[in-house]
Amino acid sequence: MLKRNLPQNLKPATKALHADFAIEDGASVSPPIHQSVTYRTDSAEDFSNKAQEPFNDVFYARHGTPTSSRIAKVLAELEGAEEAMMFASGMAAITTTILALVQTGDHIIAQKNLYSSSISFLTKFLPKFGVDITLVDQQSIDNFEKAITPKTKLMLVETPANPLMKITDLKLISRLAKTHNVITICDNTFATPINQTPITLGIDLVVHSATKYIGGHHDLLAGCVVGTRELLMRIWDTSMDLGPTAAPFNSWLALRGIRTLKLRVTEHNTNALKVASYLEKHPKIGNVFYPGLSSHPQHKLAKQQMSGFGGMLSFDIPKGYQAGANFLKNLNICINAASLGGIDTLVVQPAVMFKARLTDAEIHELDITPGMIRMSVGIEDVNDILNDIDSALSKI
Ligand SMILES: Cc1ncc(COP(=O)(O)O)c(C=O)c1O
C-alpha cells in the first residue's frame, strides 16, 4: 500500500475527498468496487474470527464490503463520529437502528413532522410488537419532556423537517435525553453534514437517506447511520439478522457523490434562498417555508445550529389543490418527481405524495394545505429556475 500522511483538522470539502484514504487498497485514485460477496479465509480460526468481528468487510457481503466501509468512513468523519454503517436505503437505516435499540414494553418519543414512512413505521409497525409511541410537536422542548416516562428509550427527531421545514432544537433535545438516559436519533437528510452536525450538538446517532444529498444525482438508493462504536455494534448485530446491507455499487455511487457534497450543498443553499426570497414577494403565493428566511418562525434557532439552510423549501398556493396541480404541470425545468436532494430541481405536491403512507387525518396533522408545493432546489442556474417558476405561476 502507498503511504500517505493525512494532516489533522481537515475541512469538510477535503475530508469528503480523502477521509477514506486508509482503506485504499491500490494505487487507483478512484476507488474500486468490491463486488465479491465472499472472501477466502485461511483457517477455521480465521473463518470464525472474521464471522464474529463487527464491521468485518472482507468476510461475507451482508457483514459489509470494502466499498461500503469507504463511504462509511467519509460519513463518520463529516458527521464527527467514531463509526458509520451503510444500508440499502434510508428506511433500512432507520428501521434497523430502531429495532436494534428497543424491545417490547419500551417507549419512543418522536416528533410529529417526520418523513412519512418513519411515522408509519413508528405508529403502525412497532405497536404490533408492544412498543409505545408518543408523537409531539417538535417546536417546544416541553412537549418532549412531558412525554418522557420511565419506559422511554429513544427520541427520534428530524430537522429541518417535511414539509414546513420546522426546526428541532438539537442541543436542548440531547441535554434533556441525557438526563433521562434516553438515546437520541436525528434524521439529518435535509441538512446534510455540510450544514449541520447533530453529533457535535450532543445527539447520539445520525441517520440519512443517502439517496438524497449524499448521493446527490438521483441514481442510487442508500442510507446510513453514524454514531459511537458501541451503539453501531448493536445496530450491526441486528443488521446480521435483518439483512438491510447496502449493495457495493450503490455504496460506490454514494462515495462518488459525497466527493462533491460541499460544492453541491453550497449551491443548493444559495439557490434555495434566492427562490424562497422570490416566492415570498410573489402575489400568487401565500406562506413560504424556508429556514433561511427571516420570516421563518424558527429562523433564529436555525441560524444557531445550521451553517447553511439547505435546498428544501415549501410554499402555499392559496388558490388550492387544482392550482397547485396546474402549477406543477406548467413547469418545464423543475421536475414533478418523488425524492429530493439531487442536482435537478424536483417538485411535489405533499397533499398528493403523502397519501401513499398516511391517512387524510395524518396529512392534516402535518399542516399540509391542498395547494402546498415542496421544492428541492437543484443546482441549475438560479435564473432559469426562477423563470420556470414565474412562467408556470403566470398560467394559474
Ligand atoms: C428525511 C427522509 N428520511 C428518510 C427517507 C427515506 O429514505 P429512502 O427513500 O432512501 O429509504 C426519506 C426519503 O425521502 C427522507 O426524505
Side-chain angles (χ1 to χ4, degrees):
M1 189 192 292
L2 300 177
K3 275 243 177 306
R4 283 170 81 197
N5 293 313
L6 211 58
Q8 298 287 304
N9 300 323
L10 295 174
K11 297 282 186 285
T14 318
K15 282 182 179 172
L17 295 176
H18 297 291
D20 53 319
F21 86 104
I23 309 173
E24 275 176 0
D25 48 355
S28 70
V29 172
S30 171
I33 305 173
H34 287 264
Q35 194 62 40
S36 184
V37 157
T38 190
Y39 291 81
R40 283 191 202 103
T41 56
D42 295 336
S43 61
E45 194 191 359
D46 186 37
F47 190 106
S48 172
N49 288 342
K50 283 180 174 157
Q52 290 172 56
E53 186 193 342
F55 313 112
N56 189 314
D57 56 11
V58 288
F59 175 68
Y60 180 65
R62 180 155 35 81
H63 296 217
T65 66
T67 317
S68 55
S69 293
R70 287 184 81 126
I71 169 76
K73 177 69 185 155
V74 176
L75 279 160
E77 282 289 326
L78 287 180
E79 291 284 5
E82 275 177 349
E83 200 73 61
M85 229 183 114
M86 289 303 288
F87 289 84
S89 68
M91 283 318 299
I94 292 166
T95 54
T96 308
T97 298
I98 294 173
L99 289 171
L101 302 175
V102 294
Q103 58 189 32
T104 300
D106 286 348
H107 173 238
I108 299 175
I109 304 171
Q111 65 185 50
K112 269 197 281 188
N113 284 70
L114 281 179
Y115 176 61
S116 55
S117 286
S118 300
I119 298 181
S120 172
F121 175 70
L122 291 177
T123 59
K124 299 189 178 104
F125 188 93
L126 285 180
K128 290 193 287 190
F129 301 94
V131 177
D132 285 336
I133 312 295
T134 307
L135 297 181
V136 299
D137 183 332
Q138 83 267 36
Q139 292 170 107
S140 163
I141 189 75
D142 294 346
N143 297 335
F144 288 88
E145 188 156 21
K146 276 187 215 139
I148 293 176
T149 76
K151 295 188 167 168
T152 308
K153 283 279 155 35
L154 281 183
M155 284 188 199
L156 175 61
V157 298
E158 179 181 322
T159 180
N162 249 323
L164 300 196
M165 308 306 143
K166 287 185 184 169
I167 307 294
T168 314
D169 191 325
L170 294 175
K171 248 191 195 160
L172 288 187
I173 287 286
S174 60
R175 216 177 285 159
L176 172 70
K178 279 189 172 57
T179 60
H180 293 271
N181 228 356
V182 170
I183 297 171
T184 45
I185 307 173
C186 176
D187 185 330
N188 203 28
T189 300
F190 277 25
T192 83
I194 301 301
N195 286 331
Q196 174 175 278
T197 47
I199 285 170
T200 64
L201 300 171
I203 295 292
D204 297 308
L205 291 165
V206 160
V207 289
H208 280 275
S209 168
T211 314
K212 310 300 180 326
Y213 288 100
I214 305 291
H217 294 71
H218 307 304
D219 56 8
L220 70 97
L221 193 70
C224 69
V225 59
V226 192
T228 60
R229 192 170 171 82
E230 188 233 323
L231 286 174
L232 271 276
M233 292 224 298
R234 288 169 66 183
I235 298 163
W236 180 85
D237 196 55
T238 298
S239 83
M240 289 302 93
D241 296 335
L242 300 182
T245 319
F249 185 54
N250 281 3
S251 295
W252 184 85
L253 282 173
L255 182 59
R256 184 187 161 107
I258 208 168
R259 302 295 196 208
T260 56
L261 185 67
K262 170 71 170 33
L263 209 60
R264 284 184 285 109
V265 169
T266 304
E267 196 69 0
H268 287 298
N269 290 344
T270 307
N271 282 358
L273 183 57
K274 286 186 182 159
V275 171
S277 306
Y278 161 86
L279 287 168
E280 215 178 18
K281 293 192 200 92
H282 199 287
K284 288 189 182 170
I285 301 297
N287 290 326
V288 179
F289 306 97
Y290 182 64
L293 289 177
S294 52
S295 59
H296 187 287
Q298 295 171 291
H299 177 60
K300 202 170 141 221
L301 173 59
K303 269 204 301 197
Q304 271 168 30
Q305 66 184 26
M306 302 178 80
S307 55
F309 303 108
M312 298 302 300
L313 59 90
S314 290
F315 54 95
D316 189 37
I317 300 181
K319 279 188 177 167
Y321 183 86
Q322 199 49 51
N326 290 345
F327 168 72
L328 295 190
K329 240 193 339 221
N330 285 315
L331 290 165
N332 291 307
I333 302 258
C334 308
I335 303 165
N336 180 201
S339 204
L340 59 103
I343 49 181
D344 318 78
T345 298
L346 299 187
V347 278
V348 291
Q349 195 166 3
V352 176
M353 180 176 70
F354 282 62
K355 267 198 157 73
R357 303 299 298 160
L358 303 178
T359 63
D360 286 348
E362 283 169 326
I363 292 174
H364 184 71
E365 267 290 296
L366 295 176
D367 308 315
I368 291 168
T369 50
M372 182 177 285
I373 304 294
R374 188 193 76 185
M375 181 172 269
S376 166
V377 181
I379 62 163
E380 299 92 343
D381 187 297
V382 73
N383 291 313
D384 291 330
I385 302 174
L386 293 176
N387 288 338
D388 197 32
I389 296 172
D390 200 57
S391 154
L393 283 176
S394 73
K395 296 182 185 129
I396 61 165

